[in-house]
Structures are given as C-alpha cells and as structure tokens.
Amino acid sequence: MKPIRLMSGFLTVGFWTLASRVLGFVREIMILSLIGPGPLMDAFVAAFRLPNMFRRFFAEGAFNAAFVPMFSGKLEGDEDAARFGRDALNGLALVTLMLTALAMIFMPALVWATAGGFGPERIDLTVGFGRIVFPYIFFMSLSALFSGVLNATGRFAAAAAAPVLLNVMVIGAMTLAWTTGGAVITWLIWTIPLAGVAQLALTWGAAARAGFALKPGLPRWTPDMSLMVRTAVPAALATGVMQINLVVGQLVASQYDSAVSWLFAADRLYQLPLGVVGIAVGIVLLPDLSRKLKANDMGGARDAYSRASEFAMALTVPSTIALMVIPLPLVSVLFERGATDTDDVAAIAVAVAIYGLGLPAFVLQKVLQPQYFARGDTKRPFYFAVVAMVINAGLAIGLAPVVGWIAPAIATTLAGWVMLGLLYWGLRGMGDAVHVDARYRHRLPRIILSALIMGAVLWVSTVLLEPALGTPGLRYIALLALIILAAFSYFGAAHKLGGVKLSDVKGAVRR
C-alpha cells in the first residue's frame, strides 16, 4: 500500500470512527440527561460492559492479531483465503454461542465479579439488563470477522461505518421513548442486540460484494485453524488482561455512588481521539505491515510504520493538550443538563483531564502492537499486558483509600505508559522496519511545539469566553469558537513550523 493510500485508509477509518464517536456523544448526552448518573445508569454501564469486554477478548483481540495477518498472507499468495475465512467464521460462531449460553445462566456471578460493590438494587438491575444485552457479543464477534476480511482486502469504509448503526438505532429508540413517554432505559437496552444484528448484516453483505460470501456451516479443525488458535490465544489473553483493568476499575468505582457513571462519561470523551486516531491506525497498519513483511519489503514496512506514527502524533498530541486545558468547558457543554448536575460535571472533568494525560500512550500502543502481530508474535504483548495489569490493579486498589473514586483513572493512565514503554523495549532486534525515519524524527518536536502553542491560545480564549461558556444558549457557540480557534492555531503553527504539511492531508483526502 503506497503512502498516499495508507493515509487515505487512515482517513477513511478515521472519518467513520469520528462519525460513530460524535453520534456516541449524542447517545451519552441523552443517557446522562434522560437517565442521569445513579443506580439505573450504573447498572446499564456495568451490564453493557460485559458483552463489550468479551467481544474485545474473543473477537477484536484474537482476530486482529491472528486472523487478519493470516488472511492477508493468503490473499498475497495463491492460497484459498475464502475457505480459511469460512472455517474461522464457523469456529467463532460456535465459541460465541457457547459463551452467550453460559453467560445467560451465570449472569449473577458475572455481575458480582465485575461490580461487586453495587448494593442489592443495582445488582438486580444489572443482572436483568445483562441478560438482555449479552447476545450482542454473538452478532458483533461475527461482524468483527467480516470487518477483518474487508480490512485485509483494503475495503475499510463498510467495516468502519458499522458502529454508526448502533448509535443511530440507540438514539432513535431513546428519542421515541422520550416523545411517547416510555421507559427510556427499557428502549435503550432492547435496542442493543437489535443493533448487533444490523451491524452483522452490513459487514456480511459488504464482504459478499467483495467476493467473500462466507456461509455458515459445521466447524472444521484444520492446520490453519490450529495455527490461528495458537496465535490467537495469547492475543486474546493480552486483550483480556486489558479488560481485567477495566473490571478492576469498575470494582473500585462501584463502591462510590455514581462513580461508575462518571468514569464512563469521561471514558467516552477521551475515547473520541483514541478511536478516531489510534484504532484507525491499528486497523489500517496491521494488514499493510503483514503484506510488506511477507513480501520482505522492509523499506515499505518502515515507511508505513513511520507514517502511521506521524499521523497518530499529529492528531493525538493536540487532543491531549485540549483535554488537559479545557476539560470543564467540554464536559459542561456536552453533558450538563437534565439529570446531570454541576457536581457530576466537576467529577467527570477531573477524570477527563487524567485520562487525557494517558492518551498518547493509549494511541501509540495501537501503532506498536501491529509490529508484533504482523510477525505472528502475540506472546510478548501478553506478557507486557500482564505487567501493566498488575500495576493498574495495585494502583487502583491502593490509591482508592487516599484519593477515592478517581483512583481507577489514575491507575489506567500510569499503567498505559508502562505498557507503552514495554512495547518499545520489546522492539529491539526486529530490524530497521521498527525504526522511524528521518522525516518523523524531524516533525515530532514541531508537532509538540505547535500543540503547546494551541494550548496557550485555548487557555487565553477560555478565560475571555468564560461568561459565554456559562450562559445557556451561548455556551454552545462559545465551545464551537474554542474548537475553531484550537484547530486554526494548531494547524497554522504546525504548517508554519513544518510539523504537518497540509499538502499531505489534501492528497490523502483527494485519494
């Protein structure tokens, strides 16, 4: 994949991910306004986290690390990629069906293990919600497989657009509930599995149009499946370790009223740049690196890695500065209405600033992990993740008596930087393909300086616009003005200093 096509892939995935995250903001705004921090929202967050946790464990972790490189390699050669894809589909379907059945039976134990600090009322609510939303994992896991097929063939749009359906359907359902006087929480939870069906239909249809109309059948155990499982298990464990971090954080937060809701809202805000940049880079970079390494194109692999790192930092560093400089205006304008009051906003803003400190680490992990996965190395990322998990758990539990509910956010950020350091340390001995080029080394300090200039502009502008930011109606215009000022100051400085060349972006957009 040429650099211009690689950047185009980043932008395609980034655009659809941005659309999904923006709609996700609308979704969270409605949840916070119509339901609000408290027992109902805490129960919903804990219940919805269960299928998402297992989806990342079985589908995204395993298939990003094992299926995509193997499928890409078969496309590069003369092997039967469609047969391999069909076998993987049938195996994944069997595993997720069994998992869903077990979860439905043992849902009370799952809730106790992941949100043990809840009282009886929230426990009962979470169990009920969990049994409704858990089948989402079956549909989303299969959708993740078809997304892997599409990404390996260089067709990123449909796979990246699929998550938009969830937000569109949930927003529509809550709107109908609100206008008709229905129970918003009931409409919300029943829509989630239906959205999973819609997402699977979209990606399955797109894969069929791409020439991979995979049909379900009886699972077969083949040498390829054996190799994929041996590769996938460490990757699934590594992803599972990261999910354990979330569970530990939720366990700590569940001991404090509304803390699960506050951390969830803050997580959604910092996940916007993480999703748009980090996940987009990881999705596009992995199949491209796999193809280049299989073809022994080390120069091309190095260029792809350098451009991915450059793209990631060009958007992540200014996002980090913004989350640290203006968390309160962001949270206030986005979430303060209805059932979410000033105290909730102040708590969420603190968590946003702390998560923002870890954003570069979270994004760069998505850039570095493909270096391992493209080489079939899923064991070392797992070992690194275990170390990060231990640090996260120790900090979250140890700091809670001192700093209270915010301990999980601090632990997540510090553990993220430890994980990044270990991933960099593990690159030793992989050759020149894992070293960034001169262009990236030239541009990175200029990107950082441009972001600091933007931060200063934001700080001054926030002081000047403070009355407007606190005025109903005007606060939306004031926040939009801040965003526009930030964009112009950052990209203007970056272009002038040589950190970002607008011609590169224009070329990728035209492509």
Side-chain angles (χ1 to χ4, degrees):
M1 189 181 290
K2 296 179 180 178
I4 191 69
R5 292 188 61 195
L6 189 70
M7 183 66 72
S8 178
F10 295 154
L11 291 177
T12 298
V13 178
F15 169 79
W16 283 109
T17 306
L18 176 63
S20 175
R21 296 308 167 99
V22 169
L23 288 171
F25 268 131
V26 177
R27 181 188 76 189
E28 311 315 344
I29 287 169
M30 292 182 71
I31 291 173
L32 284 160
S33 176
L34 299 176
I35 300 173
L40 276 180
M41 185 171 171
D42 283 355
F44 165 73
V45 170
F48 190 39
R49 182 160 285 159
L50 289 172
N52 278 319
M53 177 178 67
F54 285 104
R55 180 196 69 184
R56 289 172 181 145
F57 186 92
F58 283 99
E60 293 177 356
F63 275 85
N64 277 339
F67 176 77
V68 172
M70 289 182 68
F71 192 84
S72 298
K74 291 181 181 300
L75 287 175
E76 192 72 20
D78 297 323
E79 301 173 75
D80 191 346
R83 179 183 291 274
F84 172 63
R86 186 166 57 250
D87 290 340
L89 169 67
N90 295 331
L92 182 62
L94 176 63
V95 170
T96 51
L97 272 176
M98 293 172 60
L99 174 65
T100 301
L102 289 171
M104 301 292 273
I105 296 170
F106 297 107
M107 186 60 66
L110 268 178
V111 171
W112 178 84
T114 57
F118 282 174
E121 178 192 5
R122 286 189 293 173
I123 287 284
D124 290 343
L125 283 170
T126 307
V127 170
F129 294 166
R131 284 184 168 139
I132 295 171
V133 302
F134 201 88
Y136 179 71
I137 185 180
F138 174 76
F139 305 111
M140 277 308 302
S141 295
L142 300 188
S143 180
L145 183 144
F146 286 110
S147 296
V149 169
L150 292 166
N151 293 335
T153 59
R155 295 170 172 86
F156 301 107
V164 174
L165 286 176
L166 171 67
N167 293 326
V168 169
M169 292 178 68
V170 166
I171 290 168
M174 288 193 292
T175 301
L176 280 172
W178 176 62
T179 55
T180 60
V184 174
I185 189 66
T186 302
W187 284 67
L188 171 61
I189 58 173
W190 280 103
T191 301
I192 288 169
L194 295 177
V197 175
Q199 289 172 289
L200 175 57
L202 175 63
T203 53
W204 200 334
R209 290 190 296 274
F212 294 95
L214 307 181
K215 296 180 180 179
L218 293 176
R220 295 189 321 131
W221 189 253
T222 65
D224 278 337
M225 288 297 292
S226 176
L227 175 60
M228 188 186 75
V229 169
R230 290 198 306 270
T231 307
V233 167
L237 291 173
T239 308
V241 166
M242 302 308 292
Q243 298 310 306
I244 290 172
N245 289 342
L246 291 175
V247 170
V248 170
Q250 183 170 279
L251 277 168
V252 172
S254 67
Q255 301 174 47
Y256 303 89
D257 290 342
S258 300
V260 171
S261 301
W262 293 336
L263 290 174
F264 174 76
D267 177 84
R268 303 312 298 171
L269 191 51
Y270 96 88
Q271 284 282 345
L272 176 61
L274 175 59
V276 172
V277 184
I279 295 174
V281 167
I283 287 172
V284 178
L285 182 60
L286 178 55
D288 192 46
L289 270 181
S290 300
R291 285 191 293 267
K292 285 182 167 61
L293 291 174
K294 186 177 180 64
N296 202 33
D297 180 9
M298 296 304 159
R302 182 184 186 185
D303 183 71
Y305 171 57
S306 299
R307 298 292 72 75
S309 301
E310 182 181 316
F311 175 81
M313 288 297 94
L315 296 181
T316 301
V317 175
S319 298
T320 297
I321 297 296
L323 291 177
M324 293 172 61
V325 173
I326 58 167
L328 192 58
L330 282 172
V331 174
S332 176
V333 175
L334 290 171
F335 297 140
E336 188 177 1
R337 64 184 53 77
T340 302
D341 60 24
T342 304
D343 291 338
D344 295 321
V345 165
I348 296 168
V350 171
V352 165
I354 293 172
Y355 281 137
L357 281 169
L359 183 60
F362 303 140
V363 171
L364 285 174
Q365 287 178 34
K366 303 295 184 182
V367 179
L368 291 181
Q369 286 170 345
Q371 290 283 11
Y372 294 86
F373 297 157
R375 292 169 170 82
D377 181 359
T378 55
K379 291 182 179 179
R380 285 194 294 172
F382 166 62
Y383 299 146
F384 300 156
V386 168
V387 174
M389 178 197 71
V390 172
I391 291 173
N392 178 82
L395 288 172
I397 297 170
L399 288 176
V402 180
V403 299
W405 68 271
I406 200 64
I410 297 172
T412 298
T413 293
L414 293 176
W417 282 106
V418 170
M419 178 70 176
L420 179 65
L422 291 171
L423 286 170
Y424 270 119
W425 178 76
L427 293 179
R428 298 171 306 154
M430 287 189 185
D432 289 340
V434 298
H435 298 296
V436 293
D437 59 19
R439 168 176 152 175
Y440 175 71
R441 292 195 301 270
H442 172 80
R443 290 190 175 186
L444 181 59
R446 290 162 174 79
I447 288 171
I448 294 172
L449 179 57
S450 301
L452 291 173
I453 292 171
M454 180 209 73
V457 172
L458 266 182
W459 184 80
V460 172
S461 302
T462 301
V463 172
L464 295 175
L465 291 172
E466 185 175 2
L469 287 166
T471 304
L474 287 180
R475 61 179 183 162
Y476 304 103
I477 299 173
L479 181 61
L480 179 61
L482 281 179
I483 294 171
I484 292 172
L485 284 169
F488 273 100
S489 60
Y490 171 69
F491 284 108
H495 182 69
K496 190 72 173 177
L497 295 172
V500 175
K501 293 297 182 184
L502 298 183
S503 58
D504 295 340
V505 179
K506 290 177 182 177
V509 169
R510 284 197 298 270
R511 176 74 186 184

